[in-house]
């Protein structure tokens, strides 16, 4: 099986373009249709001009696709960075949105330089340092924040509160005082997105759901005449309603410059000496790098050719792309999982699909800026609310609880920490809770960053990875390095009989490695778990050796 896969692996570079353009061009076009509305929505939710999201997607496609170390990934703006960017714009701008935007561009430039250095110094594996439950908690918190802020836009109401918790608390008030026509556009988009998840036949999925939402929004926007400011009466005969007159107009549409070149802005470095500036730099670099690395690794599992991305090269390329974006007014980008999945599902074979998606965006915004202006904000808010609901879905909570209450405690602590403070502090809180749980279970301080992992070769084709001491998230890098360095198509044993403590992050890595190794014509077995007591009935639960 491996031989045939290798023989069929697509070429890269110009030979790959010549060989695969018939599959990559249509895949890139379909991703462009998805990326256009999402890029606009993410930009506005981040406190940036709408064009900033388009700039990021164009650079991610046209530039980064030619430099990165992955094959079928799509680069562009992502919902995970919204929280970091909103905080940066608000803290640096201190009420002046445009000034905050330009200060944040400067922070993106410095953060991107750090990203490039991380890639060059091969720091891509540091993403393994973060516990899985903390990463999931961070993403769930981001989903809650996105929903808490975008529901108001979907309803056509501007909240009075400036803080996150205040905005969430105002949701009932916005529901009572919603603008009916705007809310109708928003809820129509939301219902379409939910309905599309039930479509099973490929013919019904020919039009991507985000594009369908935008097209519906365009039609309803014309029907409600959003191009002109006017008032309208809503159910005037219903006396129980507190008021019936609502205002509608272009303020509820996407604002983009008619001239493509006027959409570019330049960074302002005048706050580079402030603490707030460097907090923003670290947050943008850390969250962006972590999300990008995790997404690239996830997309590798979707690749039908089972190619492995060069994560350090990928991180360097994303850093270069972000440097360009920061200098010309774009959002920071990551390797984006949703668009990458669509890319794979639509038959992409090489990075040229990413290139074509960026090229289509460039052509569209250069030639049809007026069409973008006709998109209702409520339609984009529907896309973001739906994205947030996926990140913080009840399934994520249930899945986390099923693995163990210890895992859920870390997950919940991270969510509460992010909502109550900010992203970096929330992640630090989650990591601290995880370490305290491990210490309560017997983890020694000296074992936090080091553990005993040894490879023993018993014959030409058999390797034993012996794990002793405590195997937890904070010392997993050594284990990953050993495992990745093993030759293919051999017999590998993970011997856990001497390990005192194994956490969920390590258990998940070992099981996933075994599954992938077996699928690649090797044999990988896990032995020694019979000496351990799991903390739940889940096969990936943390466990401790029974003495």
């Amino acid at each position: 099986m491996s031989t045939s896969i290798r023989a069929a692996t697509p070429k890269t570079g110009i030979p790959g373009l010549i060989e695969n353009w018939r599959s990559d061009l249509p895949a890139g076009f379909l991703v462009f249709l998805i990326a256009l509305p999402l890029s606009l929505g993410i930009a506005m939710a981040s406190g940036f001009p709408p064009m900033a999201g388009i700039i990021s997607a164009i650079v991610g496609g046209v530039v980064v696709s030619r430099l990165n170390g992955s094959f079928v990934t799509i680069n562009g703006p992502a919902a995970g960075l919204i929280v970091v960017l909103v905080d940066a714009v608000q803290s640096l701008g201190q009420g002046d949105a445009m000034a905050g935007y330009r200060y944040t561009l400067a922070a993106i430039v410095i953060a991107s330089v750090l990203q490039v250095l991380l890639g060059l110094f091969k720091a891509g594996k540091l993403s393994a340092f973060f516990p899985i439950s903390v990463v999931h908690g961070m993403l769930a918190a981001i989903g809650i924040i996105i929903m808490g802020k975008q529901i108001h836009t979907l309803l056509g109401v501007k909240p009075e509160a400036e803080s996150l918790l205040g905005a969430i608390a105002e949701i009932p008030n916005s529901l009572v005082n919603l603008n009916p026509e705007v809310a109708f556009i928003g809820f129509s988009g939301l219902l379409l997105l939910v309905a599309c998840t039930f479509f099973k036949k490929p013919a019904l999925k020919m039009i991507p759901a985000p594009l369908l939402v935008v097209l519906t929004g365009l039609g309803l926007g014309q029907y409600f005449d959003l191009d002109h400011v006017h008032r309208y009466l809503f159910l005037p005969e219903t006396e129980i309603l507190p008021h019936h007159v609502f205002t509608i107009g272009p303020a509820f549409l996407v604002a983009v410059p008619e001239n493509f070149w006027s959409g570019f802005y330049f960074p302002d470095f005048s706050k580079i000496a402030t603490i707030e500036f460097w907090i923003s730099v670290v947050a943008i670099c850390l969250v962006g790098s972590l999300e990008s690395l995790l997404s690239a690794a996830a997309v590798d599992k979707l690749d039908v050719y089972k190619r492995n991305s060069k994560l350090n090269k990928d991180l360097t390329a994303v850093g270069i792309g972000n440097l360009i974006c920061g200098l010309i007014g774009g959002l920071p980008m990551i390797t984006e999982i949703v668009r990458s999945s669509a890319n794979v599902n639509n038959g992409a074979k090489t990075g040229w699909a990413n290139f074509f998606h960026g090229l289509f965006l460039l052509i569209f915004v250069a030639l049809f800026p007026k069409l973008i202006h006709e998109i209702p904000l409520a339609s984009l808010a529907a896309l973001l609310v739906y994205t947030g609901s996926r990140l913080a879905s009840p399934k994520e909570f249930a899945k986390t609880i099923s693995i163990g209450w210890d895992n859920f405690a870390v997950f919940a602590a991270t969510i509460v920490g992010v909502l109550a403070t900010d992203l970096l502090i929330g992640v630090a809180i989650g990591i601290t809770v995880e370490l305290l749980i491990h210490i309560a279970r017997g983890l020694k301080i000296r074992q936090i960053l080091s553990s005993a992992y040894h490879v023993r070769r018993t014959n030409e084709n058999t390797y034993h990875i012996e794990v002793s001491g405590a195997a937890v998230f904070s010392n997993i890098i050594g284990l990953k390095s050993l495992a990745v360095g093993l030759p293919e198509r051999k017999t590998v044993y993970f011997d856990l009989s001497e390990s005192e403590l194994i956490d969920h992050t390590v258990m998940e890595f070992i099981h996933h490695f075994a599954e992938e190794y077996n699928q690649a014509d090797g044999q990988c077995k896990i032995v020694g778990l019979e000496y351990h007591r799991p903390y739940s009935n889940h096969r990936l639960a943390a466990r401790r050796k029974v003495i």
Side-chain angles (χ1 to χ4, degrees):
M1 183 174 71
S2 306
T3 307
S4 61
I5 288 177
R6 288 179 183 278
T9 299
K11 298 175 184 176
T12 58
I14 299 300
L17 172 63
I18 296 171
E19 178 188 68
N20 302 295
W21 70 268
R22 290 176 182 82
S23 57
D24 288 341
L25 183 65
F29 180 74
L30 289 168
V31 173
F32 144 71
L33 295 177
I34 299 171
L36 176 63
L38 289 176
S39 298
L40 291 168
I42 290 167
M44 291 186 300
S46 302
F48 279 42
M51 275 298 297
I54 302 293
I55 290 170
S56 174
I58 291 172
V59 173
V62 175
V63 179
V64 176
S65 70
R66 302 299 85 223
L67 303 173
N68 62 8
S70 50
F71 302 94
V72 288
T73 57
I74 298 294
N75 300 103
L81 281 167
I82 289 175
V83 179
V84 175
L85 296 173
V86 167
D87 286 345
V89 172
Q90 291 177 347
S91 64
L92 295 176
Q94 297 177 332
D96 187 334
M98 180 51 68
Y101 163 50
R102 294 187 61 211
Y103 293 138
T104 304
L105 290 178
I108 292 169
V109 170
I110 303 300
S112 65
V113 173
L114 296 180
Q115 276 188 317
V116 171
L117 292 174
L118 286 173
L120 292 176
F121 285 102
K122 303 187 184 304
K125 60 185 178 182
L126 291 179
S127 61
F129 181 80
F130 293 87
I132 291 172
S133 49
V134 170
V135 174
H136 288 172
M138 179 188 76
L139 294 175
I142 289 170
I144 293 170
I145 293 169
I146 291 171
M147 287 189 289
K149 288 181 173 289
Q150 291 301 308
I151 283 175
H152 303 284
T153 304
L154 184 147
L155 298 172
V157 179
K158 186 174 182 179
E160 295 180 4
E162 294 183 2
S163 67
L164 166 64
L165 296 178
I168 293 175
E170 275 194 50
I171 291 175
N173 183 61
S174 293
L175 285 167
V176 171
N177 297 293
L178 58 80
N179 190 316
E181 292 183 355
V182 176
F184 184 80
I185 295 173
F187 281 122
S188 297
L190 206 53
L191 288 173
L192 276 171
L193 290 167
V194 174
C196 285
T197 61
F198 296 99
F199 294 164
K200 302 300 180 184
K201 294 182 179 180
L204 296 175
K205 293 187 175 184
M206 290 296 290
I207 302 178
L211 179 63
L212 193 59
V213 170
V214 168
L215 291 175
T216 302
L218 286 170
L220 290 173
Q222 292 299 307
Y223 177 77
F224 292 131
D225 193 20
L226 293 186
D227 282 319
H228 303 96
V229 177
H230 63 278
R231 293 184 175 186
Y232 68 95
L233 295 175
F234 180 70
L235 300 179
E237 304 300 324
T238 309
E239 296 181 1
I240 62 170
L241 293 179
H243 58 274
H244 316 289
V245 181
F246 297 90
T247 302
I248 205 165
F252 294 96
L253 296 172
V254 174
V256 293
E258 291 189 14
N259 182 356
F260 174 67
W261 298 107
S262 61
F264 294 94
Y265 291 88
F266 306 104
D268 183 342
F269 290 90
S270 59
K271 287 208 170 184
I272 196 170
T274 65
I275 295 176
E276 293 82 6
F277 182 88
W278 286 99
I279 289 175
S280 298
V281 168
V282 172
I284 293 168
C285 178
L286 178 62
V287 177
S289 300
L290 178 61
E291 270 207 271
S292 199
L293 291 168
L294 292 173
S295 297
V299 175
D300 281 348
K301 296 175 182 177
L302 303 176
D303 185 5
V304 295
Y305 298 99
K306 302 302 177 187
R307 294 166 289 188
N308 291 317
S309 297
K310 298 175 182 176
L311 294 181
N312 293 310
K313 184 179 180 182
D314 218 43
L315 186 58
T316 302
V318 169
I320 293 172
N322 285 335
L323 178 62
I324 296 171
C325 287
L327 290 172
I328 61 176
L331 282 168
M333 74 185 71
I334 67 163
T335 295
E336 209 283 325
I337 184 71
V338 175
R339 274 156 270 170
S340 298
S341 300
N343 193 40
V344 174
N345 293 336
N346 286 302
K349 293 182 179 179
T350 74
W352 286 105
N354 189 11
F355 176 86
F356 287 129
H357 124 270
L359 187 62
F360 282 124
L361 278 168
L362 176 60
I363 294 170
F364 186 85
V365 298
L367 299 180
F368 308 107
K370 289 185 179 180
L371 187 56
I372 296 176
H373 172 64
E374 297 298 323
I375 300 173
L377 295 176
S379 295
L380 300 180
L383 293 173
L384 292 167
V385 168
Y386 182 73
T387 299
S389 70
R390 297 289 294 272
L391 291 173
S393 70
K395 287 184 179 179
E396 281 297 319
F397 285 77
K399 178 182 175 183
T400 307
I401 291 174
S402 70
I403 295 170
W405 283 99
D406 53 340
N407 197 56
F408 182 74
V410 176
F411 175 80
T414 305
I415 293 174
V416 173
V418 172
L419 295 179
T421 57
D422 61 37
L423 210 61
L424 288 181
I425 295 176
V427 168
I429 289 171
I431 292 174
T432 302
V433 171
E434 175 108 345
L435 284 173
L436 290 174
I437 290 173
H438 291 336
I439 290 171
R441 290 172 171 174
L443 175 69
K444 299 176 178 62
I445 301 299
R446 59 182 170 80
Q447 294 176 323
I448 291 176
L449 294 175
S450 64
S451 188
Y453 303 123
H454 303 287
V455 175
R456 183 167 55 90
R457 185 175 181 181
T458 54
N459 60 50
E460 184 179 351
N461 295 312
T462 306
Y463 294 81
H464 292 255
I465 300 180
E466 298 174 343
V467 181
S468 58
V472 296
F473 74 94
S474 55
N475 58 37
I476 195 176
I477 293 176
L479 178 61
K480 281 194 169 185
S481 299
L482 282 178
V484 171
L486 292 175
E488 297 178 345
R489 298 189 296 279
K490 304 292 182 181
T491 300
V492 176
Y493 291 93
F494 271 103
D495 188 352
L496 305 174
S497 57
E498 295 301 318
S499 59
E500 301 166 7
L501 179 68
I502 313 167
D503 76 355
H504 165 59
T505 301
V506 174
M507 286 298 300
E508 181 161 290
F509 165 71
I510 291 173
H511 276 273
H512 283 178
F513 178 86
E515 289 171 2
E516 292 178 0
Y517 198 83
N518 290 333
Q519 289 173 2
D521 289 349
Q523 289 188 10
C524 184
K525 300 178 181 179
I526 303 169
V527 298
L529 286 180
E530 64 271 18
Y531 301 110
H532 296 77
R533 176 177 61 83
Y535 285 98
S536 81
N537 294 326
H538 197 282
R539 71 186 185 113
L540 300 180
R543 54 199 70 212
R544 179 169 176 76
K545 188 174 182 180
V546 179
I547 299 174

